[in-house]
Amino acid sequence: MTAQHHRTVAATAAAGLVIAGGHLIGATAAHADDVKPSVPPGTEPSASAPVAIDSNAPGLKIPQGGTLAPVKVLDIAEVVEDLGGEQRRQETNETVMMALQSEVLFPEDSAVFNAQAAARIQAIGNEINQSKATRIRVFGFTDDQGSYEHGKELSKQRADAVHNELGKTVTNPSVVFDVRGYSEDYPIADNGTEEGRKKNRRVEITFPRGAG
């Protein structure tokens, strides 16, 4: 994202105690398209309850016979998006997720990078190096136009292309990539409009936040 881009900032909260099934992760890149998470990617809880709560503590004013509900942890997510929505950054207390619209990386119906794509991916790779991330998720998505099977293939090919470019920049030799293509699954906007479909055609890169 360049400095001259106007940015809009919104804060959203994602509740979570639902634990998603484990993602399959391989030595360098796991091609685990046959395994779908139980919740949309990136919405899993990223933190556990920081303090144990004693339901019998005298300071808790619970009506007689009442009990505490299970503890829930809320991840506060800060979302920064450039004016055109071409690039979106979402941060929680644990992770950073960068979403790039496919149009800024690839020609239509293609998984071959355009001239500007490599520089965008390299900038994200440099940030991954700074965060000392050891696990990186690269997920591709399409809109609902065309067949599901074609979208599955195209979204995976685009995720693979981003993964391969990241591999040129990320320096940690032990880093593990989880690379998947989800076709039209998990839309983030309305597929009934071209503006919404444009947002849904995207590649998301997720990695842990650095200590700083």
Side-chain angles (χ1 to χ4, degrees), residues 15-91:
L17 272 193
V18 178
I19 305 301
H23 288 191
L24 297 181
I25 300 175
T28 302
H31 302 287
D33 292 316
D34 56 329
V35 179
K36 290 176 63 176
S38 58
V39 294
T43 61
E44 306 91 336
S46 64
S48 57
V51 179
I53 299 176
D54 180 5
S55 60
N56 297 317
L60 292 176
K61 298 182 179 180
I62 302 177
Q64 186 174 2
T67 59
L68 288 176
V71 175
K72 292 184 179 181
V73 177
L74 299 180
D75 270 354
I76 303 301
E78 180 185 41
V79 180
V80 180
E81 186 176 275
D82 63 16
L83 190 60
E86 294 179 348
Q87 185 164 319
R88 180 167 53 90
R89 179 188 183 93
Q90 177 176 307
E91 290 192 48

Side-chain angles (χ1 to χ4, degrees), residues 28-210:
T28 302
H31 302 287
D33 292 316
D34 56 329
V35 179
K36 290 176 63 176
S38 58
V39 294
T43 61
E44 306 91 336
S46 64
S48 57
V51 179
I53 299 176
D54 180 5
S55 60
N56 297 317
L60 292 176
K61 298 182 179 180
I62 302 177
Q64 186 174 2
T67 59
L68 288 176
V71 175
K72 292 184 179 181
V73 177
L74 299 180
D75 270 354
I76 303 301
E78 180 185 41
V79 180
V80 180
E81 186 176 275
D82 63 16
L83 190 60
E86 294 179 348
Q87 185 164 319
R88 180 167 53 90
R89 179 188 183 93
Q90 177 176 307
E91 290 192 48
T92 70
N93 58 316
E94 296 287 336
T95 64
V96 175
M97 188 274 287
M98 303 290 292
L100 298 170
Q101 287 185 7
S102 295
E103 278 78 357
V104 305
L105 300 177
F106 308 100
E108 183 178 356
D109 201 29
S110 172
V112 178
F113 277 148
N114 61 33
Q116 293 78 36
R120 287 179 178 266
I121 303 303
Q122 289 166 9
I124 297 174
N126 288 331
E127 183 172 352
I128 290 172
N129 287 335
Q130 294 173 2
S131 75
K132 297 180 171 57
T134 57
R135 291 190 175 184
I136 304 167
R137 299 188 307 192
V138 183
F139 292 166
F141 305 85
T142 62
D143 58 27
D144 65 351
Q145 305 298 291
S147 72
Y148 181 87
E149 291 73 19
H150 177 68
K152 185 88 167 178
E153 180 180 5
L154 180 62
S155 61
K156 180 59 163 56
Q157 290 174 344
R158 287 174 168 175
D160 282 336
V162 171
H163 161 234
N164 291 336
E165 189 63 38
L166 281 174
K168 300 176 184 178
T169 305
V170 176
T171 57
N172 187 342
S174 61
V175 69
V176 175
F177 286 88
D178 182 10
V179 184
R180 308 187 187 195
Y182 284 105
S183 189
E184 64 196 57
D185 294 335
Y186 310 118
I188 59 173
D190 181 9
N191 273 313
T193 67
E194 176 53 29
E195 181 181 358
R197 291 192 293 270
K198 189 175 181 180
K199 287 180 178 291
N200 290 333
R201 298 190 295 265
R202 68 198 190 278
V203 177
E204 295 182 355
I205 304 167
T206 306
F207 54 95
R209 284 186 63 173

